[in-house]
Amino acid sequence: AQKKAAQGDKENKLLASVLAPALELLREGKPARLAWPNDEEERKVFASAQLLTAKPVLYVCNVEEEAAANGNAFSAKVFEKAKAEGANAVIVSAAIESELTGMDDEERMVFLEEMGLHETGLTRVIRSGYDLLHLITFFTVGPKEARAWTVHQGAKAPEAAGEIHSDMQRGFIRAETIAYDDFVSLGGENAAKEAGKLRQEGKEYVIADGDVLHFKFNV
């Protein structure tokens, strides 16, 4: 890229300038993800190189049961390393996760509370993974089933509809929206409607994590 850039090739000039900081980091034994580009154009060029150490990284620390809630001295060092690299880290206890496998939901919650935990290690890993990849969840709820769908943070209503079916994005009209906390605390769609918590949102609406959505479309 540097050779072609010297010959006046604009694309390779940009590529060389974006990758040069990454190359220096790699020579120092550091991950390329620390060379984060300045703008959207540079980010696209950087991503096109598909550098292994530019991929998002999640460190999972397996600790003893007693340290499952707050970690230990070793996991603290991993968290420091992750922060310095722009990565994420979570704590799990494989021993606890193994015990949870054979329990029903009620037993599981009691056991977790006794251990000073609010959620399972697997849930921590999933939550941290979503955060690392800038993903959120929205729900569709009907009389027969409820489903969770994944979109990137900042996605607008038509794009979310497209996750279900391309026709829904193409013919998008509006999204009937209930916030997750309202849906759960009030006891469902009908109660939320009666409480005035159902909103009509248009094409520019940005999806919030946990939104319960009903899409109106026409093709």
Side-chain angles (χ1 to χ4, degrees):
Q2 287 175 334
K3 288 178 181 178
K4 290 180 179 179
Q7 296 168 6
D9 188 303
K10 291 184 179 180
E11 288 186 9
N12 279 284
K13 186 176 182 180
L14 177 60
L15 179 61
S17 67
V18 170
L19 293 183
L23 180 59
E24 290 303 313
L25 286 164
L26 293 172
R27 283 172 172 162
E28 295 171 10
K30 297 176 182 178
R33 77 181 69 89
L34 295 181
W36 196 241
N38 297 315
D39 55 38
E40 187 60 30
E41 184 182 12
E42 287 192 2
R43 277 193 285 273
K44 288 180 180 179
V45 172
F46 186 72
S48 70
Q50 298 187 21
L51 302 176
L52 184 61
T53 61
K55 303 294 184 185
V57 168
L58 174 61
Y59 291 101
V60 181
C61 306
N62 179 30
V63 300
E64 68 276 18
E65 294 185 29
E66 295 76 16
N70 300 308
N72 55 29
F74 298 109
S75 64
K77 290 182 179 180
V78 175
F79 271 71
E80 287 178 14
K81 176 181 173 63
K83 185 176 181 181
E85 292 182 0
N88 278 15
V90 294
I91 298 165
V92 300
S93 171
I96 291 177
E97 297 300 301
S98 179
E99 290 186 55
L100 290 171
T101 303
M103 298 182 185
D104 59 34
D105 290 344
E106 189 173 341
E107 285 181 312
R108 190 179 289 117
M109 291 308 301
V110 171
F111 181 76
L112 287 171
E113 288 176 6
E114 288 176 352
M115 299 300 298
L117 301 169
H118 303 292
E119 58 187 3
T120 66
L122 177 59
T123 301
R124 287 186 184 184
V125 171
I126 293 170
R127 193 186 303 280
S128 187
Y130 265 59
D131 176 65
L132 191 64
L133 298 173
H134 309 295
L135 299 174
I136 60 172
T137 299
F138 72 90
F139 298 94
T140 53
V141 179
K144 292 184 179 180
E145 67 172 5
R147 290 195 61 177
W149 307 84
T150 301
V151 291
H152 65 86
Q153 291 175 8
K156 295 182 179 180
E159 187 176 349
E163 290 295 321
I164 302 172
H165 199 286
S166 58
D167 283 351
M168 296 178 72
Q169 181 171 3
R170 185 160 53 91
F172 179 89
I173 299 173
R174 66 178 182 275
E176 294 182 347
T177 309
I178 304 172
Y180 178 84
D181 289 341
D182 291 333
F183 191 93
V184 173
S185 63
L186 293 170
E189 182 179 350
N190 291 333
K193 283 182 180 178
E194 292 173 3
K197 297 298 183 180
L198 185 146
R199 311 186 311 273
Q200 303 289 338
E201 301 289 359
K203 292 181 178 180
E204 295 303 310
Y205 175 68
V206 177
I207 303 299
D209 192 31
D211 272 350
V212 180
L213 301 170
H214 179 216
F215 295 107
K216 298 287 188 179
F217 70 103
N218 183 40
V219 291

